[in-house]
Amino acid sequence: MAANTTPETPLPVGQVSRLIGGWIDRLGAIWVEGQITQLSRRPGAGVVFLTLRDPSHDISVSVTCFRQVFDAVADVVREGSRVVVHAKPEWYAPRGQLSLRAAEIRPVGVGELLARLEQLKRSLTAEGLFAADRKRPLPFLPQLIGLVCGRASAAERDVLENARHRWPAVRFEVRNVPVQGVHAVPQVVQAVKELDALDAVDVIVVARGGGSVEDLLPFSDEQLIRAVSACRTPVVSAIGHEPDTPLLDLVADLRASTPTDAAKKVVPDVGEEYERVRWLRDRARRSVEAYLDREERGLAAALARPSIEDPHRMIDTREEQVAALTERARRTLGHLLDRAESELTHTHARVVALSPAATLKRGYAVLQRPDGHVVRAPGDTAPGEELRARVAEGEFTVQVTDTDTGTAPAGVATGTDTGTGTEVIENEHENEHEA
């Protein structure tokens, strides 16, 4: 293809077309898979024209084949069928058009499609796109619901009518798109992305009625699965009927068995909610009444207690007890004081009776030497020794005249009374007799 060209020496269009054709002719045959979107079988014509489209992308290519090649699969192939074509690229120079010349066409069977879906399912599961922890809860009462469905389809009617019947104030943002065929996947993906970008949309519902495995293939497309997985808005899948399980059901935050079931799961029923509110209100009222009754009974029981009914009764009872205890304590203390006084009197009397002063008051005297020692026997004195005699009223000095210790009359001591200043002569034997 390389050529030396300049603005002064350009190549003619025909030569460029021939060069491109020569380069393409060197390419070998390849196997191509796609979906037939256009099929042209002109009566009597020996060539059949097809258009193959990639279901996941907005890309198509023209295919031509001889009539006998297409007649081999004419009974099982129609527009919308998936086929595998063994073809060689060729360049049609007059029009500058690239196409594929098919030498063999093979329809893709349901079994093979299901096997491919299973393989894709395992691959996406390994990536974690179907994990339960990725599921997001739906809002209790969505203010705006995004709906992706076919135009004027039964699925759209079922969702709208049932949702508004359950909650009349609900609003919808509808995107009508093809739900089968080669244009389904890109337009469904675009609609989902548009609704997800709207902040007012609280939940997105993708709905379609029932159909064959081939009709539901767009909702198992990898591109759509990844787009739904990337949504920040919860997505509800309502595809087909209960037995239908496209891969969209696995990646969606909630699977509904039918479009009608999706309407029931997305919005609450106003009647049921009213009954629930009434039941809760009645339950709350009963709980409050029971609580008030229980507290009222408790208050009545508390007021019926003697301490509450007559608060002064306890004080009066305690007052009587305090008075009795006070009187008892007074009597006990009086007895103790009387007993102590009596004991003190007796003890005082004994002390007085036994004290030396009492003895001296009875006429006794205590003789002491000048150094203070008490004379205890006549032999402890000597004649002419002066002693001090201590009596009750004072002291005086005496002089020993005789120290005889026999039974004869005792000696007489003379002295002067230091207390009265008079002279006293005392007979010791008389004092002993008196004692």
Side-chain angles (χ1 to χ4, degrees), residues 306-351:
S307 58
I308 302 298
E309 187 176 11
D310 186 6
H312 296 284
R313 178 184 299 178
M314 181 181 295
I315 298 177
D316 297 340
T317 303
R318 297 301 181 188
E319 182 181 11
E320 295 175 359
Q321 294 178 357
V322 169
L325 291 175
T326 303
E327 182 63 24
R328 179 180 176 184
R330 184 179 292 109
R331 291 196 305 269
T332 302
L333 182 59
H335 293 328
L336 292 176
L337 292 176
D338 292 343
R339 185 184 304 170
E341 183 180 7
S342 177
E343 292 178 355
L344 181 60
T345 302
H346 292 308
T347 302
H348 182 267
R350 287 196 301 271
V351 170

Side-chain angles (χ1 to χ4, degrees), residues 414-428:
T414 63
T416 303
D417 186 352
T418 61
T420 63
T422 61
E423 185 176 353
V424 179
I425 300 175
E426 183 177 12
N427 191 307
E428 184 178 354

Side-chain angles (χ1 to χ4, degrees), residues 20 37 44 74 118 161 169 179 222 231 246 281 314 338 371:
I20 294 175
T37 59
E118 186 63 27
E161 291 182 357
V179 291
E222 182 178 359
C231 285
R281 185 175 60 243
M314 181 181 295
D338 292 343
D371 59 2

